């Protein structure tokens, strides 16, 4: 029997066994649907958007491609050799069908936060796959010694806890740490309802203006700077230094670490190695403004435009199969990613996963729920995850983190430094939009389309073994 190839290109996130699982899933689907052969190609995480655009310009393209979330605008703007959009809408391709080649359609069951993020003008353009948000991790033993019974839920409460920890005899050198990374800036703005760019964060039209000096941004920057000046916040001096902040938590040099939700497995191991109990809670929000919602991160899978019917049906069936409850639940178990569908969450609950791994449930609940005392979104408010959509998002994050570095280490004035950062980020956005407007486009020079080391948001440069081998306990 002649098989139809389904080419799937993914960014290798470099987790242990990441590509092995992709190849296993491809083989399993091909066994279940012998008329198809799924062929997975792992791509370099940092250069994937650039390489795919160059390949597409030469007439080579995958049926499915997985992009990191802040490359979504690049995916929307990438074109095929004939100048047509390289990708088409997942939801429009599926329509009102409930199954494809016997695989149940799961679009209706997607976690609302991630469905919303990848929806533009009412259309789910790509299929969310790996999902994360930001969480607060705490050393329960240190907090108990400091007389803190719960977890801080607001910025003022964090400050108060830090002051208690600072008074401990023989306590840690600092109370709290987090990596200097744009993901936490995104979360801080989201909980206040702030935007990075105009046109409703790029949701009502192409973003043309960026503002890194908004009220929401400066509230976060000033609070962060004050924690540092008062000796509560540990800054390692590196950007972003995920491993360094993890090491500080493991070695009990801090009582609290803010990090990505996909760090739950790593953080649990760090607490075990450090010999203390860990609590996990929501990312804290600004006391002075209404709480709006959360930012999310992760990846989504895009469907190629113009596929023949047989290939498109196979690609969509594979996409639905990847998101069936069993597969989505396993993705959560392996890497702490948010269970991407309600059915996968319910399966995990039925199996007792959350009973034996209680810290994992918050990776689903946090992006749905509001903290205690916050009953609902403001009337007529925004979706919970009105994330930014604009060109060279990665470059803007680079600029933010270096601006914050100067504030923390060189005493730069926050407003002046972030005013300068706004001008730098605006230049990147202008360059990107100018590139998009050119016909034909120079696909070999997508402005800053590659991810840089600073943007290693969820695919951490450490593994469970690294906690012991690369970051030794007594270092």
């Amino acid at each position: 029997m002649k098989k139809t190839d389904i080419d799937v290109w993914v960014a290798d996130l470099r987790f242990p066994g990441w590509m092995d699982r992709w190849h296993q899933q491809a083989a399993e689907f091909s066994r279940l649907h012998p008329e198809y052969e799924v062929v997975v190609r792992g791509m370099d995480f940092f250069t994937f958007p650039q390489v795919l655009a160059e390949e597409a310009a030469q007439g080579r393209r995958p049926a499915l491609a997985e992009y990191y979330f802040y490359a979504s605008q690049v995916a929307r703007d990438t074109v095929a050799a004939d100048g047509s959009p390289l990708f088409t809408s997942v939801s429009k391709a599926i329509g009102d069908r409930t199954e494809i080649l016997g695989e149940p359609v799961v679009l209706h069951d997607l976690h609302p936060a991630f469905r919303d993020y990848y929806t533009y003008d009412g259309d789910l353009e790509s299929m969310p796959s790996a999902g994360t948000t930001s969480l607060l991790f705490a050393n329960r033993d240190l907090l108990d010694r400091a007389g803190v019974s719960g977890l801080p839920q607001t910025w003022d409460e964090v400050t108060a806890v830090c002051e208690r920890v600072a008074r401990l005899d023989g306590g840690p050198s600092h109370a709290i740490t987090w990596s200097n990374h744009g993901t936490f800036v995104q979360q801080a703005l989201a909980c206040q309802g702030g935007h990075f760019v105009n046109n409703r964060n790029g949701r009502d039209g192409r973003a043309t203006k960026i503002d890194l000096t908004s009220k929401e941004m400066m509230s976060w920057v000033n609070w962060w700077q004050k924690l540092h000046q008062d000796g509560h916040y540990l800054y390692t001096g590196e950007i972003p230094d995920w491993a360094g902040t993890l090491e500080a938590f493991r070695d009990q040099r801090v009582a609290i670490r803010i990090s990505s939700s996909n760090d739950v497995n790593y953080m649990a191991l760090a607490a075990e190695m450090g010999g203390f109990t860990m609590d996990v809670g929501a990312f804290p929000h600004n006391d002075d403004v209404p709480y709006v919602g959360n930012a999310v991160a992760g990846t989504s899978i895009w469907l190629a435009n113009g596929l023949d019917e047989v290939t498109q049906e196979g690609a969509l069936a594979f996409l639905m199969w990847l998101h069936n409850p069993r597969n989505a639940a396993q993705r959560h178990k392996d890497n702490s990613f948010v269970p991407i569908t309600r059915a996968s969450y319910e399966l995990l609950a039925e199996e007792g996963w959350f009973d034996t791994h209680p810290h994992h449930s918050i990776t689903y609940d946090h992006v749905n729920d509001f903290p205690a005392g916050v009953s609902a979104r403001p009337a007529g408010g925004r979706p919970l995850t009105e994330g930014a959509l604009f060109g060279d998002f990665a470059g803007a994050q680079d600029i933010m983190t270096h601006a914050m570095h100067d504030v923390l280490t060189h005493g730069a004035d926050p407003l002046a430094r972030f005013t300068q950062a706004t001008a730098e980020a605006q230049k990147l956005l202008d360059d990107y939009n100018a590139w998009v407007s050119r016909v034909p486009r120079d696909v070999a020079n997508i402005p800053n389309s590659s991810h840089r080391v600073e943007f290693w948001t969820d695919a951490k440069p450490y593994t469970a073994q690294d906690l012991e081998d690369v970051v030794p306990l007594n270092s």
Side-chain angles (χ1 to χ4, degrees):
M1 178 176 59
K2 186 178 184 301
K3 292 177 177 284
T4 299
D5 286 345
I6 303 172
D7 292 317
V8 182
W9 295 1
V10 303
D12 184 353
L13 298 188
R14 303 184 185 181
F15 289 111
W18 182 260
M19 291 309 303
D20 291 340
R21 185 177 64 192
W22 266 111
H23 292 304
Q24 290 164 4
Q25 290 174 328
E28 177 62 12
F29 181 85
S30 300
R31 184 186 67 79
L32 294 171
H33 296 269
E35 68 274 28
Y36 290 101
E37 185 73 28
V38 177
V39 182
V40 174
R41 175 183 175 185
M43 310 282 279
D44 182 81
F45 176 81
F46 299 102
T47 61
F48 176 66
Q50 180 77 57
V51 171
L52 197 151
E54 292 173 353
E55 296 260 7
Q58 298 299 315
R60 298 181 293 271
R61 59 173 182 173
L64 297 169
E66 187 177 46
Y67 278 76
Y68 206 57
F69 79 106
Y70 48 57
S72 293
Q73 186 63 57
V74 175
R76 299 179 78 231
D77 291 331
T78 301
V79 296
D82 62 1
S84 63
L86 185 62
F87 300 109
T88 191
S89 158
V90 167
S91 60
K92 288 180 179 176
I94 292 175
D96 59 1
R97 289 183 287 175
T98 59
E99 63 87 24
I100 301 171
L101 302 182
E103 303 295 343
V105 170
V106 300
L107 298 188
H108 65 286
D109 198 43
L110 287 170
H111 191 301
F114 297 92
R115 184 183 61 226
D116 288 353
Y117 187 89
Y118 297 104
T119 295
Y120 184 84
D121 197 22
D123 177 27
L124 181 67
E125 295 186 314
S126 59
M127 187 72 174
S129 45
T132 67
T133 187
S134 301
L135 298 176
L136 181 148
F137 300 86
N139 181 323
R140 172 43 52 196
D141 298 0
L142 284 174
L143 293 193
D144 283 346
R145 284 180 54 200
V148 177
S149 58
L151 293 179
Q153 298 186 26
T154 70
W155 297 356
D156 287 350
E157 290 177 6
V158 168
T159 300
V161 169
C162 289
E163 291 169 350
R164 282 178 171 266
V165 171
R167 292 194 291 268
L168 279 176
D169 288 335
S173 61
H174 296 76
I176 191 169
T177 192
W178 62 83
S179 298
N180 180 11
H181 191 277
T183 193
F184 305 120
V185 180
Q186 295 165 43
Q187 183 75 313
L189 263 63
C191 72
Q192 302 174 81
H195 287 167
F196 283 107
V197 290
N198 65 338
N199 292 330
R200 196 169 61 88
N201 238 6
R203 301 282 170 168
D204 285 343
R206 183 175 295 277
T208 58
K209 298 292 182 183
I210 189 167
D211 183 9
L212 302 182
T213 63
S214 66
K215 177 180 64 176
E216 295 83 8
M217 175 70 86
M218 297 317 300
S219 293
W220 167 251
V221 168
N222 289 329
W223 177 69
W224 185 354
Q225 180 196 38
K226 183 70 161 53
L227 280 181
H228 182 253
Q229 287 178 336
D230 291 346
H232 300 314
Y233 170 76
L234 170 66
Y235 184 48
T236 67
E238 301 293 331
I239 302 174
D241 201 12
W242 296 102
T245 59
L246 174 67
E247 177 190 3
F249 182 78
R250 184 207 57 200
D251 293 348
Q252 303 193 66
R253 289 185 282 118
V254 295
I256 295 172
R257 180 185 184 231
I258 292 174
S259 193
S260 167
S261 62
N262 95 293
D263 253 0
V264 173
N265 285 340
Y266 294 121
M267 293 294 280
L269 179 59
E272 179 183 348
M273 294 173 67
F276 58 88
T277 301
M278 180 181 73
D279 279 356
V280 184
F283 183 93
H285 60 278
N286 187 350
D287 308 70
D288 298 331
V289 298
Y291 179 87
V292 175
N294 298 284
V296 299
T299 58
S300 70
I301 301 175
W302 294 72
L303 174 69
N305 182 34
L307 296 174
D308 64 83
E309 183 178 356
V310 172
T311 303
Q312 178 169 292
E313 290 297 281
L316 289 173
F318 179 61
L319 199 52
M320 295 304 102
W321 179 83
L322 281 176
H323 290 72
N324 71 31
R326 180 64 58 190
N327 287 329
Q330 190 61 49
R331 195 156 52 242
H332 165 79
K333 289 180 180 180
D334 290 345
N335 300 111
S336 303
F337 289 130
V338 177
I340 209 68
T341 63
R342 181 177 299 277
S344 62
Y345 178 87
E346 291 173 348
L347 176 62
L348 290 162
E350 290 168 4
E351 291 179 341
W353 170 259
F354 298 125
D355 295 331
T356 55
H357 302 82
H359 298 318
H360 283 263
S361 63
I362 196 170
T363 65
Y364 184 93
D365 296 337
H366 178 36
V367 284
N368 255 353
D369 297 340
F370 292 90
V374 180
S375 60
R377 267 177 279 174
R382 306 169 179 85
L384 289 177
T385 51
E386 194 177 53
L389 185 65
F390 64 100
D392 207 351
F393 198 160
Q397 288 203 124
D398 189 20
I399 287 168
M400 292 178 221
T401 57
H402 283 84
M404 197 66 213
H405 176 84
D406 289 346
V407 169
L408 296 174
T409 62
H410 304 307
D413 175 75
L415 181 59
R417 185 62 183 86
F418 275 79
T419 297
Q420 175 188 341
T422 296
E424 295 169 359
Q426 185 63 53
K427 175 66 164 55
L428 295 187
L429 181 58
D430 290 344
D431 288 347
Y432 180 89
N433 287 342
W435 171 81
V436 170
S437 68
R438 297 189 191 109
V439 179
R441 296 176 196 161
D442 179 6
V443 296
N445 290 291
I446 301 176
N448 291 310
S449 63
S450 299
H451 300 288
R452 303 170 215 177
V453 175
E454 288 98 307
F455 313 131
W456 201 253
T457 304
D458 295 307
K460 303 298 191 303
Y462 52 74
T463 68
Q465 190 62 45
D466 287 335
L467 292 178
E468 190 165 5
D469 294 343
V470 179
V471 192
L473 278 170
N474 296 321
S475 63

